[in-house]
């Protein structure tokens, strides 16, 4: 084992052959913050296939999904994704949360071509895989990307999951891309959190005109990131303020609730404009109704709204989802290294204070991201 030092680590921090366990925060049941448990006995996620890459985690960040998953959100669908054949394939617990990682490659499968031990990488960890609140995480090569050179691990960990979500929502569902966004009018409902602060910067880098809704005390932040127009939803009647503006080509809704009742009317009619919401009932439905009925119910709801909106106003109604896409993060890395996208880290916690990091996120009113320093 080349480069091995004593005490169980090689020069890249890779666990040696005799290290079989690692430190991680796990949950053994769903619930509130009390279910988070530190453990030093979690099996190291060794590389088991030719395309896998094992990463020593330096920093992770939290997303609203971590709080929801801690409480059991999406449990049925995610367990099906983990173990499509039999639930015995991969037990649900202990479950490691944490969807972002910035770290260093310590081991690669025999077929990995883009990475070598020692490479600094970042990635969004799919929710059906063991998360990044751990010493090590193992992903496929496709899910991993070289980290931006200009960012520390703490800064880099604030970006991958919201970037993958925003890219999937804006590109796949919203029909935007680097070459088609110039002067497009985009409204971001909820611009001050993780997805919002990233999306503003991406859309500005692509040349779009960006309007944002947020609280009064977030206006400076979103304007600093490039937002052209800002509507303070806490002043009341955001729909009224937005209605007097020129209509939009794309709306990205990070809030849900009653927003879609008024947002559809803000789109340019009969011109291919699109409303994309990240707040969908799919996983809630499968949790409460079961996989088949829940999926069918969500599918019917989506189809009904899509048809109603296309017939009545000529606008597209769509759902946006996180999608794993390492290569897409390459484009983001280039924008970060060019200084066009900045990390927005609101709070940092050491690995010993993961429950405090969850508490912070649970209080709401995020202004960017909450990061956990792991190494
Ligand atoms: P955050 O918690 O980071 O940010 C939410 C932001 O919205 C906060 O800044 C909050 O600040 C602001 N906000 C709250 N209410 C309103 C409102 N009525 N109008 C405008 N702004 C408001 O969340 P993320 O950005 O990470 O995620 C956004 C949503 O997208 C979440 O619901 C998340 O679960 C979902 N999501 C879905 C994914 C998918 O695959 N479908 C993937 C990723 C995220 P304040 O309260 O102070 O105004």
């Amino acid at each position: 084992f080349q480069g091995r030092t004593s005490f169980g680590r090689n020069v890249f921090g890779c666990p040696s052959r005799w290290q079989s366990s690692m430190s991680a925060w796990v949950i053994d049941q769903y619930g509130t913050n009390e279910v988070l448990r530190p453990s030093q006995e979690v099996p190291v996620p060794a590389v088991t296939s030719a395309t896998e890459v094992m990463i020593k985690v330096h920093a992770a960040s939290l997303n609203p999904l971590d709080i929801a998953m801690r409480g059991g959100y999406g449990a049925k669908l995610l367990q099906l994704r983990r173990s499509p054949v039999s639930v015995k394939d991969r037990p649900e617990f202990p479950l490691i949360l944490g969807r972002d990682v910035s770290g260093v490659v310590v081991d690669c499968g025999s077929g990995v071509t883009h990475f070598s031990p020692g490479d600094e990488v970042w990635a969004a960890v799919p929710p059906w895989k063991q998360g990044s609140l751990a010493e090590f995480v193992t992903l496929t090569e496709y899910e991993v990307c070289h980290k931006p050179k200009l960012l520390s691990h703490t800064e880099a960990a604030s970006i991958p999951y919201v970037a993958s979500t925003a890219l999937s929502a804006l590109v796949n569902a919203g029909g935007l891309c680097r070459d088609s966004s110039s002067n497009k009018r985009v409204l971001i409902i909820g611009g001050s959190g993780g997805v919002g602060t990233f999306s503003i910067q991406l859309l500005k880098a692509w040349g779009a005109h960006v309007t944002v809704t947020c609280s009064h005390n977030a206006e400076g932040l979103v304007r600093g990131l490039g937002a052209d127009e800002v509507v303070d939803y806490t002043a009341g009647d955001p729909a009224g303020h937005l209605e007097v503006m020129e209509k939009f080509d794309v709306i990205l809704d990070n809030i849900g609730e009653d927003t879609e009742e008024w947002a559809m009317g803000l789109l340019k009619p009969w011109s291919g404009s699109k409303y994309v919401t990240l707040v969908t009932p799919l996983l809630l439905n499968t949790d409460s109704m079961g996989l088949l009925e829940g999926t069918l119910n969500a599918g019917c709801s989506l189809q009904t709204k899509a048809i109603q909106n296309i017939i009545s106003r000529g606008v597209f109604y769509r759902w946006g989802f996180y999608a794993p896409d390492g290569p897409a993060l390459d484009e983001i890395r280039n924008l970060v290294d060019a200084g066009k996208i900045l990390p927005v880290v609101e709070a940092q916690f050491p690995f010993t204070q993961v429950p405090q990091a969850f508490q912070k996120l649970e209080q709401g009113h995020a202004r960017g991201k909450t990061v956990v320093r792991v190494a």
Side-chain angles (χ1 to χ4, degrees), residues 173-174 249 251 253 256-257 259-261 263-265 267 272-282 298-320:
D249 297 289
I251 296 176
D253 187 352
E257 300 166 1
T259 47
E260 63 183 55
E261 286 165 24
M264 306 304 302
L267 287 167
S273 61
K274 297 171 187 78
Y275 165 89
V276 183
T277 181
L278 288 178
V279 185
T280 83
L282 176 61
C300 285
S301 154
L302 174 62
Q303 286 304 328
T304 307
K305 289 181 184 181
I307 291 168
Q308 276 171 356
N309 280 293
I310 198 77
I311 289 174
S312 62
R313 310 169 199 258
V315 300
F316 292 97
Y317 173 93
R318 292 184 174 166
W319 289 351

Side-chain angles (χ1 to χ4, degrees), residues 150 201 333-342:
L150 294 182
Q201 299 185 80
R333 182 194 58 209
N334 293 339
L335 289 171
V336 170
D337 279 337
K340 293 188 173 172
I341 290 183
L342 303 172

Side-chain angles (χ1 to χ4, degrees), residues 217-235:
N217 65 7
E219 178 166 352
L221 170 69
V222 299
R223 279 204 191 276
L225 297 172
D228 297 290
E229 296 189 66
V230 180
V231 170
D232 168 17
Y233 79 92
T234 59

Side-chain angles (χ1 to χ4, degrees), residues 63-64 158 162-163 190-199 254 344 366-369:
N63 291 275
S158 68
V162 292
S192 51
V195 177
T197 51
F198 176 84
S199 302
N254 299 324
V344 186
R367 299 290 178 262
K369 298 288 299 175

Side-chain angles (χ1 to χ4, degrees), residues 320-356:
F321 291 100
Y322 152 81
D325 190 351
L329 284 178
D330 277 331
E331 178 173 352
I332 302 308
R333 182 194 58 209
N334 293 339
L335 289 171
V336 170
D337 279 337
K340 293 188 173 172
I341 290 183
L342 303 172
V344 186
V345 177
E346 180 187 17
Q348 295 182 37
F349 291 84
F351 196 45
T352 50
Q353 290 182 11
V354 164
Q356 286 89 331

